[in-house]
Amino acid sequence: MSAKTAGLGVGALAALVLLAFVPRLGNAYYLALAISLLQYTVLATAWGMFSGPTRYVSLATTAFFGVGAYTVAVLGEILPWPLVLLIAAALGAIVAAIVGLSTLRLSGVYFVIFTFGLTELIRQLVVWFEVNKSRVLGRYVFVDITQADIYWQLLGLTAAVFLLGWLIARSRLGFALRVIGEDETVATHCGINTTFAKVALFTISATVMTLVGAIMAPRWTYIEPSIAFNSMISFQVLIMALLGGAHRLWGPVLGAVPLTLLFELLSARFPNTFTIILGCIFLLIVYMLPRGVAGLFEKLSTTPGGKTTERVAA
Amino acid sequence: MSQDTATRVLEVEGLRRAFGGLVAVNDLGFAVGQGEIMGLLGPNGSGKTTALNLISGVLRSDAGTIRLMGQNIAGLASYRIARLGLARTFQLVRVLDGMDCRENIKAGLAFQKPHVPAAEAEVRIDALLDRVGLAGHDRRPAADLTYIDRKRLELARALAAKPRLLLLDEWLAGLNPSELTVGIELIRSLKADGITIVLVEHVMSAVRALCDRCIVMSSGRKIAEGATADVLSDAAVVKAYLGGVAADA
Ligand SMILES: Nc1ncnc2c1ncn2[C@@H]1O[C@H](COP(=O)(O)OP(=O)(O)OP(=O)(O)O)[C@@H](O)[C@H]1O
Ligand SMILES: [Mg+2]
C-alpha cells in the first residue's frame, strides 16, 4: 500500500515535471490547447470532488468560474497578482458557503435548478452593478501575464487539486462523505453533521473553480458578463465528469481530456450546431456509460470473487 | 424498576405526529429507566416506527417533549442526538453496501465526540465483530452478506458508539428459531452491559424473554402499559391484536 502510494507520488511528480516543459515547445497552438485541457481537468475534477460522493448535480460551475474571472477584471490592474487570486478564492468560498447552506437541504432536482439559476442571478447582479454603479459594461484586462504563466498556474492548481482530493479521501471528512453517499439517514445516526460535510466540500470545490476563472481571465483581453458567465462551461464540465466517472478522484480527467479535444474540434468545424452535438453526446454517455470510463475500467479489472468497492474520490 | 428522574434514560411526554389527516403518534408518553428493556408493541401501522423516528430525530414532532438523560432532544438534529448517546437499527435493515464490514462499524464510532483514537477504534471493531458473530468477515463487502448477517452488522454499527440508549426496530424479525435464541441472548447481554433498550417487536416469545415492561400502541395511542406478563394478558391488548399479528410468531 505505502509502496504503491510512493510509486504513485513519484509517477505524478515526474508527469508534473514533464508537463511543465510544454510552454518550452514554443508552439502557441499546442500551448492554447494544453491550457484548455488543464482548465477542464481542474474544473471537472473539482466538480467530481463534491458531486461524486454526494451525488448532487451542480450546474454552478460557471457561477464560480465567472466570479473568479470578474474579480480579475475589476482588481487585476489595481492589486498585486497573488492578492487578486487570494481575494477571488475568498469571494468564491463565501458565495459557495452561503449557497451551500441555503440549498444543500434541497433534494436533488431542486438543487440542480437552483444552481443553474444561481449562475444567471450572479450574472444579472454583475450586469446591474456595472451598468448602474461603475457605468461600464465590459472591462479590459491589462495584466502582465503571459500564456505560459497561465499554463503554469493551472498546472500548479491541477497538482494541488489532486493532492487535496487524495488527502480528503483519507480524512474523516472523506469517510463522512462516503457514508453520506451510501445512506444519508444512517450517516446522521452515526453522528455525522451531514450539512456541514456537504457545505465544506461544496465550498472547497467551488473555491477551486473560482481560481480557475481567475487564472484564465487574462487570456481574454476584454471581459464582459456574457463571456465570464457562459453557462456552456457548467454543462461541458458536467458531461466530462460523468463520462470519466465522478465517483473516483481520477475519473473526471478521463472525460475531460478526450472531450476537450473533441469540443475544440467540433466548435471549430460546426460552430452553429455545436450545442446540438453536445446534447447528443451527453445522452449517449448517460445511456452507455452510467458509471463513466472509471466504472468501465473497474468492471474490466474486477475479479469474479470480489467487487471493487474502494472509492478514492472520497 | 425505579422510576426516579435520576435513573430515567428516556422520558417521553405528549408526543404527537400527524401525516396529513392521519395521526400516527397521538399523545404518547412513557419513561424508560437505566438498564431497562422496554417493549414497544402494537399491531401493524400503530405508530411504533414513527415513535422511534421521532425519538431519534428522523422526524420532527408536532408536539411533546423527549428527554434523553434529562435533556430535551425534541427538535434536535439526528446527528446531535446520536452524539448524546442514542443509537438505533432500522425496521428495513440499513447497512452501507459499498463498504466492508469493518468500515460499516467504523462509521458508527468515527464521528462520536469525544473522538475515539484509531488504535482503540480497531480494538472495539474487532470486539464487536466477534460479539455479533461476524468475526473473520471484516473485509467482506456488506452487500455480500446474508439477511441475518446484515442485521448483525447493523447492530454492531449501532453498538460501536457505546450508546446509553438503543432503539431496536424489529431486529429479531425474520430469524429462524436457532438464530432467534442467539439473538435474544445477544440482546440480554447488552442489558447486562447497562445499555437501556427500547424494543419494538412482534415476536412475542422474545418480548416475554427480554422485556421488563411493555407499552402497547394502537392507532397512535398508548392503550396499555405495565409489567410484560400483565400487559400481554390485558384484554384490550388481546383485542387490539385480533386479526393483526398473532400473539406469537
Ligand atoms: N413518512 C410517512 N408519511 C405518511 N404516512 C406515514 C409515514 N410513516 C408512517 N406513516 C403512517 O403512519 C402510521 C404508523 O406507521 P408506523 O410505521 O409507525 O407503524 P408501525 O407500528 O411501525 O407498523 P409496523 O408494525 O407495520 O412496522 C401508518 O398508517 C403509516 O402508513
Ligand atoms: Mg414499524
Side-chain angles (χ1 to χ4, degrees), chain A residues 94-226:
Chain A
I94 291 167
V95 174
I98 294 170
V99 170
L101 280 172
S102 52
T103 60
L104 283 171
R105 291 162 214 264
L106 297 178
S107 67
V109 180
Y110 296 105
F111 182 78
V112 182
I113 295 167
F114 186 94
T115 53
F116 184 65
L118 176 77
T119 307
E120 199 56 24
L121 177 77
I122 294 181
R123 187 166 80 106
Q124 293 299 341
L125 272 176
V126 171
V127 170
W128 178 85
F129 187 87
E130 295 284 64
V131 169
N132 291 295
K133 300 293 169 187
S134 43
R135 305 210 170 273
V136 286
L137 190 61
R139 291 165 177 267
Y140 289 92
V141 188
F142 293 124
V143 287
D144 191 17
I145 289 188
T146 64
Q147 297 291 308
D149 292 335
I150 294 178
Y151 175 84
W152 280 318
Q153 289 177 70
L154 282 176
L155 190 61
L157 191 59
T158 310
V161 161
F162 277 99
L163 186 66
L164 193 66
W166 186 79
L167 288 173
I168 289 174
R170 269 148 196 78
S171 71
R172 215 136 56 94
L173 177 62
F175 186 51
L177 285 154
R178 282 180 60 205
V179 178
I180 293 171
E182 289 281 333
D183 188 329
E184 193 157 345
T185 304
V186 167
T188 63
H189 282 95
C190 289
I192 296 173
N193 183 346
T194 52
T195 307
F196 173 82
K198 286 189 283 188
V199 172
L201 213 69
F202 186 65
T203 304
I204 293 171
S205 147
T207 305
V208 172
M209 292 169 173
T210 312
L211 276 173
V212 176
I215 293 172
M216 289 297 288
R219 210 186 185 193
W220 301 291
T221 40
Y222 177 77
I223 285 188
E224 59 172 29
S226 62

Side-chain angles (χ1 to χ4, degrees), chain B residues 19 22 24 43-50 91 170 202:
Chain B
F19 297 108
L22 176 88
N44 290 117
S46 55
K48 307 179 295 292
T49 297
T50 305
Q91 186 168 353
E170 303 195 21
H202 285 302

Side-chain angles (χ1 to χ4, degrees), chain B residues 17-20 22-25 40-53 59 91 169-170 200-202 217 219-220 245:
Chain B
R17 169 72 200 222
F19 297 108
L22 176 88
V23 186
V25 170
L40 181 51
L41 316 180
N44 290 117
S46 55
K48 307 179 295 292
T49 297
T50 305
L52 295 194
N53 283 343
L59 293 172
Q91 186 168 353
D169 198 350
E170 303 195 21
V200 170
E201 200 51 72
H202 285 302
M217 293 178 72
S219 308
V245 177

